Amino acid sequence: MTSPQHTETADVVLVGAGIMSATLATLLNDLQPEWKLTVLERLDAAGLESSNAWNNAGTGHSALCELNYAPQASDGTVSATKALNINEQFQITRQLWSSLVENGTLGAPSTFINSVPHISMVFGDDHANYLRARYDAFKPHKLFERMEFTEDREQIAQWAPLTMHGRGAGRVAATFAPEGTDVDFGSLTNQLLRHLGGRGVSIQYGQQVTTLERQSDGSWLVSVKDRLNRDNNRVIRARFVFLGAGGGALPLLQKSGIKEAKGFGGFPVSGLFLRNVDPTITAQHNAKVYGQASVGAPPMSVPHLDTRYVDGERALMFGPYGGFRPNFLKQGSLLDLPKSVRAHNLYPMTRAGMANLDLVKYLLGELTKTRSQRIEALHEYYPSAEESQWELIEAGQRVQVMKADKAKGGVLQFGTELVTSADGSIGALLGASPGASTAVPIMLNLLTKCFPAKMSEWEPRIKELIPAYGVKLNDNPGLADEIMGHTASVLGIK
């Protein structure tokens, strides 16, 4: 490739102006302020895709209410291991956010995080018995010690009144975690990027990365198409590239040609939510109520009735309802999925698809749902909901990771996947929930993988920003009380 005359240089290029790039850029700018950072976003503003408040559930994912993080084994037991890991990660995120509030990087906490209890609610004997087993497994752990369990309808009505209005007979069980939160990741992303812009970080909109080519010296030539001015197309030579473009990260990772990208594919799942902004209704519910996913449904499709705080206004959302479009981004191309199929990932994707036919069945069922059927699903969690008060909105696109597996040929990988080159010159984040909530530990993991020689130099500053860095709070009760108490105080979490 012959470089055009207009060539720029940067130490780090971050593709995508969402919460992941904003988090990584914030860390790098603090740890290595002399480095030249460039953030490239194809749209005309930050956080318009998955980070946008209406394109995600806003849950500060800490495994307090998400039942899919603690499945029941065939012998009836429930393990808290995965849930503890996710909660530990969110505690790391809370620590960084607290430090950024204290040093003025972020504004008032209520502009991006609000205290909203997390509730798990299930119906029927089997689900109630499972929830009790989950509670018994969680309660002894420090990070879940405040969790409560009840089958008393009056108690549940105090926690989440709308869920009990007009409810018929039948067994209902719920757990309650008062320290839950709602997060406006769009606001958080924009605050971080505004601060970075004031510190000399170049944040450029309307810029689409078209190709990536590694050079013999380990650097990358990043070809950029200016969607607003064709005469401004250019190439940026960067020592490190981060692909944090949500669903758009997979196609770019494939263009990089690194061997670590082999075998990865993606399956897009879109989501719809019902939204209610009537103050007389929203004032009656302050909780995120999560239930059990339908058979075959991906974790991101767990039904939930959520309190949301967006731009200072309170709203209710219920969903998500699954859907399918072949584009990897909400504002992407319908050719994204077919163009992502390569020789190296065709077999893994086929095998993963064959092993997850229940997901296909679920999506087909979701696609054919009528409005009345969607309202019927809402009534399971809010029995007296009036259909006329709810509008259907389209949420963001999520791309489920599919990857090669020696034993199975290919598997569907839920959650997030960090892919980095052996030389540490490029990294990409694939996947979905609980991604945004665990952005800080994910980016710290990326720093460890891609900048191992710098970590000893950076660690003291990381520990200033994240006092419990490298420590499991669940195993250190005294430190947990100190750290969680401080971050709760700074961030306004009850």
Side-chain angles (χ1 to χ4, degrees):
M1 173 180 175
T2 302
S3 300
Q5 187 174 5
H6 189 168
T7 302
E8 302 172 8
T9 60
D11 293 296
V12 178
V13 165
L14 303 99
V15 184
I19 186 61
M20 293 299 172
S21 290
T23 300
L24 179 58
T26 298
L27 288 168
L28 284 174
N29 182 251
D30 189 289
L31 297 170
Q32 209 73 41
E34 73 278 10
W35 281 6
K36 182 180 179 181
L37 309 183
T38 299
V39 179
L40 302 172
E41 169 58 50
R42 62 185 290 271
L43 301 179
D44 59 5
L48 293 182
E49 282 284 349
S50 295
S51 299
N52 178 268
W54 297 121
N55 287 346
N56 59 68
T59 303
H61 283 288
S62 42
L64 297 170
C65 60
E66 306 93 321
L67 302 181
N68 53 291
Y69 296 145
Q72 191 167 30
S74 57
D75 62 0
T77 60
V78 176
S79 171
T81 302
K82 183 175 181 179
L84 281 170
N85 183 50
I86 290 171
N87 195 295
E88 291 276 11
Q89 292 182 65
F90 189 60
Q91 300 304 329
I92 293 173
T93 296
R94 277 177 49 162
Q95 290 174 67
L96 180 63
W97 291 351
S98 296
S99 292
L100 297 180
V101 168
E102 290 178 314
N103 69 20
T105 297
L106 294 173
S110 62
T111 60
F112 68 91
I113 187 169
N114 284 276
S115 187
V116 175
H118 286 190
I119 295 173
S120 299
M121 179 177 291
V122 297
F123 316 103
D125 290 339
D126 289 344
H127 290 320
N129 291 339
Y130 156 73
L131 191 63
R132 179 73 208 201
R134 176 182 179 270
Y135 169 77
D136 289 340
F138 278 33
K139 184 67 174 179
H141 294 282
K142 179 66 181 178
L143 296 184
F144 298 118
E145 67 179 359
R146 300 182 70 193
M147 184 177 288
E148 300 177 48
F149 173 90
T150 191
E151 294 187 34
D152 182 276
R153 287 183 169 226
E154 291 186 4
Q155 179 62 72
I156 297 174
Q158 290 183 26
W159 291 341
L162 297 184
T163 65
M164 290 291 112
H165 287 178
R167 183 167 298 282
R171 189 176 175 189
V172 184
T175 56
F176 176 85
E179 66 269 37
T181 56
D182 172 73
V183 183
D184 184 338
F185 288 105
S187 174
L188 180 63
T189 298
N190 276 277
Q191 289 188 46
L192 291 174
L193 291 176
R194 278 197 300 270
H195 178 79
L196 288 167
R199 287 175 57 87
V201 173
S202 178
I203 303 166
Q204 304 173 20
Y205 298 106
Q207 309 298 305
Q208 183 166 353
V209 174
T210 56
T211 62
L212 297 157
E213 186 173 341
R214 182 157 49 179
Q215 303 301 289
S216 58
D217 64 356
S219 65
W220 288 88
L221 290 183
V222 182
S223 296
V224 185
K225 173 185 175 182
D226 191 322
R227 302 177 76 216
L228 306 176
N229 180 3
R230 293 181 181 180
D231 295 331
N232 196 32
N233 295 344
R234 64 206 189 282
V235 167
I236 304 175
R237 181 183 290 271
R239 292 193 297 114
F240 175 77
V241 175
F242 172 64
L243 305 177
L250 177 60
L252 290 173
L253 180 63
Q254 292 176 332
K255 289 180 179 181
S256 74
I258 63 172
K259 65 178 183 178
E260 291 81 5
K262 302 294 184 184
F264 278 98
F267 186 81
V269 179
S270 55
L272 301 170
F273 280 91
L274 288 170
R275 179 172 64 187
N276 187 320
V277 294
D278 185 338
T280 64
I281 302 299
T282 61
Q284 298 179 56
H285 184 86
N286 186 47
K288 289 184 178 290
V289 180
Y290 272 57
Q292 284 279 35
S294 304
V295 175
M300 67 178 71
S301 296
V302 172
H304 42 97
L305 179 65
D306 286 3
T307 291
R308 299 300 318 276
Y309 288 89
V310 181
D311 297 327
E313 299 295 326
R314 190 156 150 177
L316 287 184
M317 288 175 66
F318 178 79
Y321 303 97
F324 173 76
R325 289 192 302 157
N327 43 310
F328 284 173
L329 292 166
K330 188 173 179 179
Q331 301 183 57
S333 168
L334 295 176
L335 297 177
D336 285 344
L337 177 58
K339 288 173 68 174
S340 74
V341 179
R342 308 290 176 85
H344 64 76
N345 66 15
L346 178 58
Y347 179 69
M349 290 178 70
T350 302
R351 294 293 299 174
M354 292 175 62
N356 290 275
L357 293 177
D358 51 354
L359 172 58
V360 177
K361 182 179 178 181
Y362 161 79
L363 288 176
L364 289 173
E366 289 290 288
L367 287 170
T368 58
K369 272 187 176 177
T370 62
R371 178 171 174 83
S372 62
Q373 288 174 315
R374 291 182 175 126
I375 294 297
E376 184 179 344
L378 168 64
H379 283 159
E380 187 172 10
Y381 290 85
Y382 177 10
S384 62
E386 295 185 19
E387 179 178 349
S388 62
Q389 295 177 328
W390 297 80
E391 62 174 327
L392 190 67
I393 64 170
E394 183 181 358
Q397 287 285 97
R398 301 292 184 270
V399 178
Q400 295 284 5
V401 178
M402 307 167 96
K403 65 178 185 178
D405 180 84
K406 289 183 179 180
K408 300 179 180 179
V411 295
L412 200 62
Q413 177 75 11
F414 295 111
T416 51
E417 186 88 19
L418 184 62
V419 182
T420 59
S421 61
D423 66 356
S425 65
I426 190 169
L429 188 70
L430 309 177
S433 181
S437 301
T438 55
V440 177
I442 290 172
M443 292 303 102
L444 288 171
N445 186 23
L446 182 142
L447 293 180
T448 301
K449 287 177 174 288
C450 296
F451 302 95
K454 301 288 291 184
M455 290 306 292
S456 59
E457 173 190 337
W458 288 345
E459 189 168 302
R461 177 55 181 163
I462 292 174
K463 287 185 176 180
E464 289 180 12
L465 294 168
I466 304 167
Y469 175 69
V471 178
K472 295 289 187 183
L473 293 181
N474 195 62
D475 299 334
N476 296 270
L479 182 62
D481 284 337
E482 177 186 345
I483 295 295
M484 294 169 69
H486 178 73
T487 60
S489 175
V490 173
L491 297 175
I493 301 171
K494 294 180 182 177

